[in-house]
Amino acid sequence: IERGRRQHSVGVADNGPGIPRRLQAKVFECFYSTTGNRRQGSTGLGLYLVRRNIESIGGKVTLQSEEGQGCTFTLALPAAPAEA
């Protein structure tokens, strides 16, 4: 978690298999799943909803990933204006 004057950032990292660069933009699309297997519980809605909701309040979601080295998702959220 990083606090800033205009925005705050929250990073979430894992040590999973990572996401190939060619698929990174697609993971935010509605109903897209890298596993392609809905029987294992993936609907392809999670990251789509995260990005849509964060952007609706003026924030941004970014992804950094290398295949075999996990992923880091960063959520940049607008800071509330300072009270007078």
Side-chain angles (χ1 to χ4, degrees):
I1 297 175
E2 202 173 297
R3 186 174 180 174
R5 293 181 78 177
R6 294 191 173 169
Q7 73 178 21
H8 306 305
S9 297
V10 178
V12 179
D14 68 27
N15 57 358
I19 299 173
R21 189 172 305 277
R22 72 184 190 286
L23 300 178
Q24 289 180 14
K26 293 183 75 72
V27 299
F28 294 102
E29 292 178 8
C30 190
F31 300 119
Y32 181 80
S33 172
T34 58
T35 64
N37 188 348
R38 292 180 193 236
R39 284 185 240 173
Q40 292 184 358
S42 178
T43 61
L45 286 174
L47 292 173
Y48 165 77
L49 291 173
V50 167
R51 176 171 269 178
R52 187 187 78 175
N53 290 325
I54 294 297
E55 288 179 350
S56 76
I57 62 168
K60 184 176 179 179
V61 180
T62 57
L63 164 63
Q64 292 180 321
S65 182
E66 295 292 329
E67 237 179 315
Q69 298 183 22
C71 299
T72 300
F73 291 89
T74 303
L75 291 79
L77 306 163
E83 293 185 33

